[in-house]
Amino acid sequence: MEIMRPWQWLTYIFFWSLFLTVIERHGLSGWSDFIIKFFSRVIQNALTVIPALYLVDYLRPVFKNASIPSVSLRIVMLMMFSATVSMVLVVLVMINLGWMEYNRQAFVINLMFNTVLTGGFTAVFLLYFLRSHRELNALKLSFEYKLTAQNDLIKARTAPHFFFNTINTLVSLIESNPPKAADLLQHVSALFRASFSGTREISFEEEVDLCEHYLAIESSRLADKLEVNWTLPEEDIMYDMVITALTLQSVLEKILLNVVEMTTETICINIEVTWEQHRVKIMIDVALPKKTLIINHDLRQHMNFYIQADRLRAHFGQSADIQSSVASTQIITIIDYPLQDVGL
């Protein structure tokens, strides 16, 4: 994550150079000397900040295992050293160009003043960013706690209903079709293992497998009422795709609860997945029953995926979303989130 953008660094260098030039204005004879001094300060501060930031970024793996006070001290020392070297270089250039007369005592005093001032302001910036970092961490922990609570809420609402229906199906299959009951238990085991692993990113292939486990369980109970058609990307494309665990599965679960279970007709669900221009789009098209009366107003209230969308945004950013539109003949739900293609 970028702490400051390039234009912000340039603004900082500009005003910092102006501030230092104004402090030293008493030793300048006119505007031409002021402009030369200001220009030299801009060059000096750019030579101080930019190389030091690149070094800090390069040494990030080393700093990662060190304590915060140790890292802060190293950064301050690095900035002070960079300020010393840049000032010496700029002063040498100005002396050679005839823009400045060499005075040893003044040079040493200015060098010490500039080095100490750079170290002080670096410490102030580090304190500010440390405070911001702690606030962001606290916000992240709070958000993760909220997501965990929402995830638990989903489980509390759907798990009992799903669990009891599955148990009843197993009881009937154990006597009539033991091999099918054994297969069903394997599907249940895989799905429940994933549901208790928390909110995390998984490969899209894993998510599809979890959906297949869930649909296999529900198909044992719903018999011929459910038909699902998948349109998936090619295997080499889908291999690089990821998604938040149980996102698609929880959307399908809500569709089954509010549509398939409310009718005796066969419901066809078409799932189309595309990955284009660094965005994944999953469209779930559900044809509503023609004979059974389903009140669209109530259906719109149940077809909301706020919690699932929040979980998706926590991993893929604020542009991720889940939208569902209910018409008289169909429901179209779209899961849309950014995903950078590292292969491009």
Side-chain angles (χ1 to χ4, degrees):
M1 183 180 66
E2 292 181 306
I3 295 175
M4 291 176 67
R5 295 176 181 175
W7 69 267
Q8 291 174 314
W9 284 115
L10 292 175
T11 304
Y12 160 73
I13 291 172
F14 176 85
F15 284 105
W16 176 239
S17 302
L18 184 62
F19 171 72
L20 292 177
T21 307
V22 170
I23 289 178
E24 299 174 348
R25 71 187 184 279
H26 299 293
L28 305 176
S29 58
W31 280 105
S32 59
D33 289 344
F34 183 87
I35 292 173
I36 291 173
K37 188 68 173 178
F38 173 67
F39 177 74
S40 67
R41 279 293 183 184
V42 171
I43 300 299
Q44 179 184 327
N45 289 328
L47 291 176
T48 298
V49 173
I50 296 174
L53 290 178
Y54 272 105
L55 279 173
V56 170
D57 186 65
Y58 178 76
L59 295 173
R60 188 182 298 177
V62 179
F63 292 160
K64 187 176 181 181
N65 298 322
S67 62
I68 291 178
S70 175
V71 172
S72 301
L73 180 61
R74 293 179 188 181
I75 292 176
V76 170
M77 296 298 294
L78 182 61
M79 291 293 289
M80 292 173 69
F81 175 76
S82 181
T84 302
V85 173
S86 63
M87 182 176 178
V88 171
L89 291 174
V90 170
V91 168
L92 288 174
V93 171
M94 291 181 68
I95 291 173
N96 288 328
L97 291 174
W99 292 353
M100 179 180 178
E101 293 183 3
Y102 177 70
N103 183 308
R104 182 177 180 181
Q105 184 178 0
F107 172 73
V108 172
I109 292 174
N110 286 335
L111 184 63
M112 293 178 62
F113 173 76
N114 182 74
T115 303
V116 172
L117 202 60
T118 301
F121 269 85
T122 302
V124 171
F125 266 84
L126 286 175
L127 289 173
Y128 169 75
F129 289 130
L130 180 60
R131 179 182 176 185
S132 301
H133 176 70
R134 287 176 175 173
E135 289 177 353
L136 286 173
N137 272 349
L139 184 63
K140 181 181 177 182
L141 290 174
S142 175
F143 190 65
E144 287 178 352
Y145 176 79
K146 178 183 176 183
L147 286 177
T148 302
Q150 290 176 340
N151 195 44
D152 292 341
L153 182 61
I154 291 177
K155 293 175 185 176
R157 287 180 175 176
T158 60
H161 176 88
F162 174 73
F163 180 74
F164 288 123
N165 285 337
T166 305
I167 291 297
N168 290 332
T169 305
L170 281 170
V171 169
S172 62
L173 286 176
I174 287 173
E175 296 181 357
S176 60
N177 194 339
K180 190 174 181 179
D183 291 338
L184 184 59
L185 275 174
Q186 291 182 351
H187 292 306
V188 172
S189 174
L191 187 61
F192 270 85
R193 187 185 305 113
S195 67
F196 287 101
S197 296
T199 305
R200 58 189 177 92
E201 283 185 23
I202 62 173
S203 70
F204 200 85
E205 290 178 330
E206 289 181 81
E207 179 70 4
V208 172
D209 288 340
L210 291 174
C211 291
E212 294 284 8
H213 287 305
Y214 172 72
L215 293 171
I217 295 168
E218 292 291 46
S219 295
S220 299
R221 182 173 60 87
L222 297 171
D224 299 328
K225 288 173 56 178
L226 181 61
E227 180 182 337
V228 181
N229 300 315
W230 293 85
T231 304
L232 299 173
E234 296 179 1
E235 288 186 7
D236 57 337
I237 296 176
M238 198 164 66
Y239 178 80
D240 295 324
M241 295 172 63
V242 294
I243 191 173
T244 311
L246 300 175
T247 297
L248 179 56
Q249 185 274 332
S250 61
V251 171
L252 293 176
E253 185 172 12
K254 186 168 284 193
I255 291 172
L256 263 64
L257 286 172
N258 293 282
V259 179
V260 181
E261 290 193 4
M262 299 299 172
T263 180
T264 57
E265 301 176 42
T266 300
I267 299 297
C268 181
I269 301 176
N270 297 309
I271 305 169
E272 182 179 1
V273 182
T274 57
W275 186 16
E276 296 177 353
Q277 299 180 347
H278 307 307
R279 296 196 72 87
V280 174
K281 183 178 179 182
I282 307 170
M283 187 171 70
I284 302 105
D285 185 354
V286 183
L288 293 177
K290 298 178 181 179
K291 299 178 182 178
T292 307
L293 177 63
I294 293 182
I295 302 175
N296 290 341
H297 175 71
D298 293 337
L299 197 55
R300 288 191 184 97
Q301 290 181 341
H302 290 100
M303 288 293 104
N304 64 77
F305 303 99
Y306 305 127
I307 296 176
Q308 290 86 347
D310 282 344
R311 296 166 67 204
L312 204 60
R313 292 188 193 103
H315 290 266
F316 299 101
Q318 292 302 310
S319 64
D321 199 10
I322 303 178
Q323 293 290 337
S324 187
S325 60
V326 181
S328 58
T329 59
Q330 64 179 167
I331 302 173
I332 296 179
T333 302
I334 297 176
I335 303 172
D336 179 67
Y337 61 94
L339 184 62
Q340 189 72 22
D341 188 353
V342 296
L344 295 179

